[in-house]
Amino acid sequence: MIAATKIHIPYERHTLLARTDLLRLLDEGMDAKLTLVFAPSGYGKTTALSEWAKQSGMLVAWVSLSKQDDDWITFWNMVIVSIQNHVDAFGLTVLPLLAEGPSASSASMEPAMTGLLNELNQLPGELVVMFDDYHLMTMPAIQKSMSYLLEHLPNHIHLYIASRNDLPFPTARLYAKGEMRKITIEQLRFRLEEADNFFRETTELRLSAEQLHMLYDQTEGWICGLRLAAISLKRSGNMTESIRQFSGHQQHISDYLLEEVIRDLPEAMRYFLLQTSVLSQMNYALCEAVTGQAGGQQQLEQLEQLQLFIIPLDDGRNWYRYHHLLSDFLQSMLARTFPELWVQANTRAAQWLEHNGYIVEAAEHYLAGRQYEDVARLIEAHLYELLGGKNTVVARWVMQVPEQYIASRPLVELFYLFVMVGVRQFHHIPDRAERLRIRFEALKDQMDAYVWRKTMGDIYYFCGTAAYVKKDLQSTADYFIRGDTFAPAHEQSLFIQGGNNKHYSVEEFEDHLSYINDYQGAAQFFIRMIEYWREQVNHPNATPMYASYAKVLYEWNRLEEAEDWLNRVMHADGFDPVPRNRYPLVVAASRIQHAKGNSLEAAALLEQLKQKIDSPDYEIFMRKIEAEQASLAVRQGDMESARRWLEHCGLESSDEATLDKVSEQLALVRVLAACEQFESALSLAERIYHLLKKEDRLRDRIHILIVQSMTYYRDNQMESALAKLSTALRLAKPQGFIRSFVDEGSAMAELLSIYVQSYGDKDAGSMDASSYARLVLQAFHANDTHAERGMTLLEDKKKIVKASLVDPLTSREKEIIHLMAEGLSNKQIALHLKITEGTIKSHVNNIYGKLQVNSRVQAFKKALELQLISE
C-alpha cells in the first residue's frame, strides 16, 4: 500500500521569501539528466524543490522516501505510481516485471528497467521525477538500478534528488559530461541580505545591523536555525543577549532554540506534540488514536498557523509530518522524560496502523514500543507476504525480538535461524534448533497432522544446518533426509523457499570445502547426498554438493572423474539452478578445463557465466567471477588482463582480511605478486593467513601458504619461500592436496625440487614433507603435456570472445554498426531507423559491451574480425 502523501508534492502554506538565484539553479537542471540537492537537515531542500515544482510549470512526479521504502520493488513501484498520477496507464508493462523480484544486474534489469526506459522514451514531453530524502535508501540493488537508469535516461526525462548524503552510486562521468548539476550548502544557505529580508518580510522583529550580523555569524545562514531564532526572539526581553546564547554546533543551537520554543507553548499543545512526535506521517484520526483526545485536526492546523515546523503533505491538509529536527528533538525528550508515554504512544500508533492495513509501519511502532509479542504475531501472520519484498526489514525485526517471544511461534523461530545463517552468527543455531526439535516432537499428538509434519520438516532441515555448523556431516545428512521425508512439498517449506532465492549465499554453505577440513569425510557426505537427491537436479542443497565433490576430485588430481560428476548435473534435463548454485559449478568446470590444457574453454566458461547471472547481488557475483578470471589470467600468462583487473577491482593491499572476501583477496595477492609488487602482496597475504588460521579454514590456509611461497620465491627470498612451502606440504598431505600445487606451474615445480634437495633429510618432519613433495612432483610430470596442447588466451583472443557471446549481435545491432562505419552520428542513425536517439545510445553501449571495445572504429573492426558482420 502506497500512501498518497508519499507521491504528492508537499504543500507549503507560504514561502519564506523569493529566492530567485536558487530557483534559477534548479531551472538549469532541465538541461541535465540529474540534479542533486545535497545538504544536512534544515537547509530547505524539500522547500526548494517543492516550490520550484509548483512554479516551474513542468510535469513533476514526486516521491517522498522513508526507511520502509528501502526495497527494490517498493522503490520502483512508488516511482511508477507517482508518474501514473500524471500519465494515465503509465508503467503497465513494467509493474508485472517488478513483481518478479528485485534485481541489480544489467542482465536481470533488462526486463523491468528497459521496460521503464521504453515507456519513459514514449512520453511526448518533458518529465521531472523528484526524490526527497534519498539518503534513506541504502539497498545496493536500488543504487545499481538508479545508475543504470541514468546511464540510459532519455534526454527529456530529468531526475532531481534531495539527500543529506552524497549519492552512493557513481556520478563522476555524468558530472564530467555536463549531465549533472549539484546544489549544496553554499547555494542553499541564506546570504546575509536574504537573512535580512527573511526577518523583514516574514517576522515582526526589527534587528539592528549588529544583531543581524551576530545572528548570521552564529547560524552561518542555516535556514532552520534562523527560523528557530525568529520564534525564540519573539519572546525575548533582551534580543542581543539571547542571540549571544545561540552558540556552538547546529545540533546545540537547534536543541537550545527548540527547548525555548516548546517551553513557552500551552501544556495541552506540548503534550500533543510529544505524543505525536513518534509518527513519521499523521492525520487527525491517527493523532486522536495516539493521544486519546478528540480535536486532532484543529491541533494540527493550529500548529501550522504557529509555523511550528509542521509540513502539510497534501493540499487538503489531511496528512502532515513534523520537520526532522523537531521530530528528533521531541522524540528524544519523550523517551528521556516520559518513557511510559513513549511506549503508550508507539503502541497506540501501531494498533491504529495495523487496523488500517499499514502492516510494516505497525510493526515498526510495536518494535519501538517494545511490544515484542505483537511484532512476533505480525511476522508470523504476514511472513510469506513480506518476504516478497521486505526480506531485510523482517530480518531486522526478528533479530530485535527476545527469544521468549518467538519460542511458541515455530515459523518465526525458523526464520530467525535462517537470518542467523545469513549474518554468520553460527553459534546461535545449534542450541536453538535442538530445543525447537525437542519441543515440537513432543507436540505430535496435539497439532494438526499436516501442520506438524510441515513444521517438523523445516525443523529437521535446520537441525541439519546446526549439525553442519558443528562439522558433523553424518548428522547433517541424516537430518536433511529426514527433512525431505517430512516436507516433501518443497513449495511449502521455508527452508527450501529460502534456498531457492537469487541472492548470493553464505560461502560456508555453498563452497563447503572453505569450511569443512576433512576431505575424506566430505567426499563420503557428498556422495551420500548426491545419490539421495539424484532426481532433483535443482534442489538448492543438492547442486552445490556436485560442485564441491568435483572440487574434491579435482584437488586429488582425478580430473576426468571430476568433469564427469559436473556433467551429470549440468547436462541433466531441466537443469536451471539459481545463480548461487550455478556459480560454483561453472568455476569448478573452468578450473578443470584449464588443468586439462583447454585454456580457451576455461576462459569462455567464466565469461558466459557472467552473462547468466540474474541476481539482486549481481555486483557480488561479478566481483567473485572477475577475481577468478584474474587468477586464471595470471596462470595463462595474460598479464594485460590481470593488470586491468588490478586497476578496476576496487581492492587494496591495505584492506582488512575478511572471510566473505577471501577468494577475491587471494586473487589480489596472486596478481600483485605477478606484477612484482611483492611487499604489498606479502603484507595482505600475512593478514589473510592469520584470519584463516584463527577461523580454522584449512583449504584456504593451504592456498595462501602456497601463494606466499611463490611470492617469496619470485622475490628471491628462498629461506622464507621454503618455510611457507614446508608448512603447506605438512597441512596438505593428510587431505591429499595435489592440484593446488600443480596449478602454480613450473615455478612451483622448481621450488619443490629445491625443497626436496635442500630439506629432505634434515629431520623427521622435513622428511615427511619431502616425501609428499616428491609425490606432488610426479603429478607435474604427468601434467607437462598440457602446456604443449594448450593455446593461450592472447594467441586466440578472437575465438574466446566469439565463444563467450551467447548472442553475439542482433540484426539491429549489425545494422547500426554498418551505419556507424559510414560516419553517421547517433542522431542521424535514429532518423534513418525511425527510432529515438536514446534507443540508439543503448544499442551502441550494448555493442561496445559485447565486443569489449570503446570506439566505433574498434567495434566495426572487431565485428569484421570475428566474422559477425560482412563488409
Side-chain angles (χ1 to χ4, degrees):
M1 181 187 299
I2 298 176
T5 53
K6 296 176 75 66
I7 52 177
H8 191 284
I9 299 171
Y11 174 77
E12 292 292 333
R13 189 175 65 85
H14 65 87
T15 304
L16 294 176
L17 71 162
R19 306 199 65 194
T20 54
D21 289 345
L22 182 57
L23 293 176
R24 177 181 53 76
L25 289 174
L26 289 168
D27 282 336
E28 291 176 3
M30 295 303 292
D31 297 323
K33 287 184 176 183
L34 172 64
T35 298
L36 172 63
V37 183
F38 166 37
S41 182
Y43 276 93
K45 300 183 294 294
T46 302
T47 300
L49 286 181
S50 60
E51 185 63 26
W52 181 87
K54 291 182 177 180
Q55 289 188 16
S56 66
M58 296 294 173
L59 199 64
V60 177
W62 183 277
V63 181
S64 291
L65 297 165
S66 66
K67 287 189 298 183
Q68 287 76 33
D69 304 319
D70 192 17
D71 170 80
W72 197 86
I73 298 175
T74 305
F75 179 87
W76 289 111
N77 264 325
M78 285 181 60
V79 173
I80 290 170
V81 172
S82 182
I83 298 174
Q84 283 178 346
N85 280 345
H86 308 281
V87 182
D88 290 339
F90 180 87
L92 296 184
T93 64
V94 185
L95 288 172
L97 299 172
L98 290 177
E100 293 177 1
S103 174
S105 75
S106 57
S108 61
M109 283 191 295
E110 286 287 338
M113 299 307 295
T114 302
L116 176 59
L117 284 163
N118 286 340
E119 292 214 23
L120 289 171
N121 203 41
Q122 293 169 16
L123 295 179
E126 291 192 299
L127 170 71
V128 174
V129 184
M130 286 187 166
F131 298 92
D132 195 21
D133 287 334
Y134 188 83
H135 56 274
L136 298 172
M137 300 300 98
T138 63
M139 188 178 185
I142 293 175
Q143 314 309 337
K144 180 74 176 180
S145 55
M146 281 289 282
S147 180
Y148 181 90
L149 180 75
L150 281 163
E151 183 180 352
H152 302 286
L153 198 67
N155 292 333
H156 62 290
I157 309 298
H158 312 276
L159 304 190
Y160 284 65
I161 294 178
S163 175
R164 295 185 195 176
N165 306 324
D166 206 350
L167 294 175
F169 53 83
T171 57
R173 284 180 58 194
L174 285 172
Y175 200 72
K177 292 163 65 177
E179 295 177 340
M180 178 182 178
R181 302 285 187 272
K182 277 188 180 181
I183 298 175
T184 64
I185 289 175
E186 293 304 318
Q187 292 82 42
L188 287 166
R189 64 164 45 120
F190 278 169
R191 300 191 302 275
L192 179 61
E193 58 270 25
E194 287 179 316
D196 188 22
N197 290 338
F198 163 72
F199 280 102
R200 291 177 184 278
E201 297 177 17
T202 67
T203 76
E204 296 177 356
L205 296 171
R206 294 295 174 261
L207 302 181
S208 68
E210 181 185 357
Q211 290 171 333
L212 178 65
H213 276 85
M214 187 187 308
L215 182 57
Y216 184 79
D217 288 342
Q218 296 281 36
T219 60
E220 297 182 334
W222 181 38
I223 298 171
C224 212
L226 291 167
R227 289 184 64 189
L228 281 167
I231 297 171
S232 178
L233 290 172
K234 286 179 183 178
R235 302 170 173 84
S236 173
N238 187 333
M239 287 199 295
T240 300
E241 184 58 31
S242 295
I243 291 170
R244 287 199 178 98
Q245 300 297 321
F246 305 161
S247 61
H249 296 296
Q250 289 178 356
Q251 188 64 51
H252 173 83
I253 295 171
S254 65
D255 285 356
Y256 171 82
L257 293 173
L258 283 166
E259 194 166 332
E260 292 281 306
V261 170
I262 300 301
R263 185 184 61 194
D264 292 337
L265 292 174
E267 183 178 356
M269 185 169 287
R270 284 205 310 273
Y271 197 66
F272 179 89
L273 279 168
L274 283 170
Q275 291 181 91
T276 56
S277 68
V278 302
L279 303 171
S280 58
Q281 294 187 40
M282 65 200 85
N283 62 8
Y284 82 92
L286 180 52
C287 289
E288 290 177 356
V290 169
T291 62
Q293 301 289 325
Q297 186 65 29
Q298 291 85 345
Q299 288 274 37
L300 291 169
E301 290 178 4
Q302 188 176 358
L303 288 171
E304 185 186 358
Q305 289 165 7
L306 291 172
Q307 302 178 38
L308 282 179
F309 292 84
I310 185 169
I311 302 167
L313 297 176
D314 54 41
D315 293 333
R317 296 190 182 89
N318 296 311
W319 285 86
Y320 294 80
R321 73 169 175 86
Y322 294 129
H323 191 284
H324 297 306
L325 280 172
L326 177 62
S327 176
D328 293 345
F329 174 81
L330 291 170
Q331 286 187 42
S332 176
M333 179 183 288
L334 179 63
R336 183 179 67 252
T337 312
F338 304 105
E340 300 86 358
L341 198 58
W342 167 271
V343 171
Q344 175 184 287
N346 275 291
T347 303
R348 287 177 172 179
Q351 290 168 344
W352 187 93
L353 289 162
E354 181 184 357
H355 180 73
N356 286 274
Y358 298 95
I359 301 302
V360 173
E361 292 81 359
E364 294 285 1
H365 280 287
Y366 279 133
L367 201 57
R370 298 183 291 280
Q371 303 302 300
Y372 300 121
E373 182 65 35
D374 288 302
V375 179
R377 174 178 55 79
L378 284 185
I379 294 174
E380 182 178 54
H382 300 278
L383 181 60
Y384 290 107
E385 162 195 341
L386 291 168
L387 288 182
K390 296 287 184 182
N391 304 47
T392 53
V393 172
V394 185
R396 176 170 54 80
W397 295 343
V398 80
M399 289 179 70
Q400 294 181 63
V401 176
E403 181 178 353
Q404 64 264 33
Y405 294 97
I406 62 177
S408 61
R409 302 181 186 275
L411 188 63
V412 182
E413 184 144 19
L414 288 167
F415 182 71
Y416 173 86
L417 292 174
F418 199 82
V419 172
M420 290 302 99
V421 172
V423 297
R424 278 193 168 90
Q425 294 187 16
F426 299 153
H427 61 282
H428 285 287
I429 298 171
D431 288 346
R432 291 186 74 149
E434 182 63 11
R435 291 200 301 271
L436 194 63
R437 179 188 68 79
I438 294 170
R439 188 165 72 247
F440 277 87
E441 281 183 341
L443 295 175
K444 179 177 181 180
D445 298 327
Q446 301 173 40
M447 294 176 63
D448 174 82
Y450 172 78
V451 174
W452 182 80
R453 287 188 66 84
K454 174 173 171 281
T455 302
M456 288 308 305
D458 268 327
I459 290 173
Y460 287 138
Y461 283 135
F462 278 103
C463 285
T465 301
Y468 180 81
V469 164
K470 296 189 293 184
K471 303 186 179 181
D472 179 356
L473 299 182
Q474 176 68 41
S475 296
T476 301
D478 291 342
Y479 276 123
F480 278 174
I481 291 171
R482 198 178 304 175
D484 258 20
T485 304
F486 274 70
H490 292 151
E491 66 277 3
Q492 298 297 319
S493 166
L494 175 66
F495 188 84
I496 298 297
Q497 282 194 32
N500 277 323
N501 70 70
K502 291 185 175 183
H503 288 270
Y504 191 81
S505 183
V506 179
E507 292 187 2
E508 289 85 343
F509 288 83
E510 300 299 322
D511 182 10
H512 306 93
L513 301 174
S514 72
Y515 186 70
I516 301 298
N517 295 339
D518 176 10
Y519 267 44
Q520 296 291 344
Q524 295 172 17
F525 169 65
F526 298 143
I527 291 172
R528 180 183 177 190
M529 296 313 303
I530 289 170
E531 177 63 22
Y532 178 76
W533 280 319
R534 64 185 180 277
E535 302 299 329
Q536 302 178 51
V537 294
N538 293 317
H539 191 290
N541 295 320
T543 315
M545 291 190 188
Y546 279 94
S548 291
Y549 186 48
K551 289 177 184 177
V552 170
L553 295 171
Y554 175 84
E555 190 59 70
W556 291 342
N557 210 25
R558 290 156 60 178
L559 302 183
E560 299 299 333
E561 291 177 71
E563 185 175 21
D564 178 63
W565 277 102
L566 287 181
N567 287 338
R568 291 189 195 189
V569 64
M570 295 176 74
H571 297 156
D573 291 340
F575 175 69
D576 186 24
V578 292
R580 63 191 180 84
N581 286 350
R582 183 185 297 275
Y583 164 73
L585 289 168
V586 176
V587 168
S590 172
R591 291 178 184 177
I592 291 168
Q593 291 306 316
H594 173 71
K596 292 177 66 178
N598 302 322
S599 57
L600 295 176
E601 288 83 349
L605 282 167
L606 295 177
E607 196 63 37
Q608 290 166 1
L609 175 61
K610 291 166 72 174
Q611 298 178 30
K612 292 179 180 177
I613 295 298
D614 176 6
S615 167
D617 294 329
Y618 177 79
E619 288 185 338
I620 298 176
F621 279 107
M622 289 303 105
R623 290 202 309 267
K624 302 287 183 185
I625 298 168
E626 287 168 3
E628 182 72 18
Q629 288 178 308
S631 293
L632 180 62
V634 170
R635 286 172 173 151
Q636 293 183 338
D638 182 10
M639 291 308 301
E640 181 183 347
S641 294
R643 289 190 186 94
R644 191 160 54 243
W645 175 81
L646 187 60
E647 291 174 6
H648 299 103
C649 68
L651 299 172
E652 299 290 343
S653 62
S654 59
D655 291 345
E656 178 186 359
T658 59
L659 286 176
D660 62 322
K661 289 187 177 179
V662 164
S663 61
E664 298 157 70
Q665 291 180 321
L666 268 168
L668 179 60
V669 172
R670 188 181 302 281
V671 174
L672 287 170
C675 294
E676 299 186 355
Q677 298 182 36
F678 299 124
E679 185 176 349
S680 296
L682 290 168
S683 173
L684 175 57
E686 195 62 25
R687 293 198 301 279
I688 296 172
Y689 177 77
H690 286 301
L691 171 69
L692 296 171
K693 185 177 181 180
K694 175 187 172 186
E695 297 292 337
D696 190 26
R697 304 300 173 88
L698 179 65
R699 182 199 68 186
D700 292 336
R701 188 177 160 201
I702 293 171
H703 285 173
I704 195 63
L705 282 166
I706 290 172
V707 175
Q708 284 177 302
S709 70
M710 287 287 88
T711 305
Y712 279 123
Y713 182 54
R714 291 190 177 98
D715 195 29
N716 297 314
Q717 299 187 52
M718 186 61 70
E719 186 176 346
S720 296
L722 293 171
K724 293 295 182 184
L725 179 61
S726 182
T727 306
L729 288 165
R730 289 193 184 102
L731 292 174
K733 181 179 179 181
Q735 306 305 327
F737 276 54
I738 298 291
R739 284 305 319 180
S740 291
F741 295 93
V742 176
D743 285 343
E744 297 300 319
S746 59
M748 174 56 77
E750 293 171 11
L751 187 60
L752 283 166
S753 298
I754 295 170
Y755 180 82
V756 170
Q757 294 167 14
S758 303
Y759 290 85
D761 302 320
K762 284 202 169 183
D763 55 51
S766 295
M767 289 175 65
D768 196 40
S770 181
S771 66
Y772 194 66
R774 290 188 180 93
L775 179 66
V776 175
L777 277 169
Q778 292 175 14
F780 272 95
H781 298 316
N783 198 62
D784 279 347
T785 55
H786 92 265
E788 300 168 10
R789 296 197 328 261
M791 295 164 54
T792 66
L793 188 63
L794 290 173
E795 291 171 333
D796 276 299
K797 201 162 187 179
K798 66 180 183 181
K799 290 184 180 179
I800 175 70
V801 173
K802 193 167 184 178
S804 69
L805 295 175
V806 174
D807 179 15
L809 290 177
T810 65
S811 57
R812 175 66 84 186
E813 288 165 349
K814 292 176 183 177
E815 190 175 9
I816 289 172
I817 282 189
H818 279 295
L819 293 171
M820 287 162 54
E822 293 174 12
L824 273 66
S825 66
N826 286 351
K827 187 172 184 179
Q828 290 170 324
I829 295 173
L831 290 171
H832 181 81
L833 297 179
K834 295 183 172 60
I835 55 180
T836 67
E837 188 176 352
T839 302
I840 294 296
K841 287 182 180 179
S842 296
H843 281 305
V844 171
N845 287 332
N846 287 338
I847 291 168
Y848 287 179
K850 288 180 178 182
L851 298 181
Q852 299 177 15
V853 298
N854 300 306
S855 72
R856 291 171 166 234
V857 173
Q858 290 176 358
F860 188 69
K861 288 176 65 177
K862 180 62 70 69
L864 284 174
E865 178 186 345
L866 298 176
Q867 299 178 348
L868 298 174
I869 62 171
S870 56
E871 293 194 66

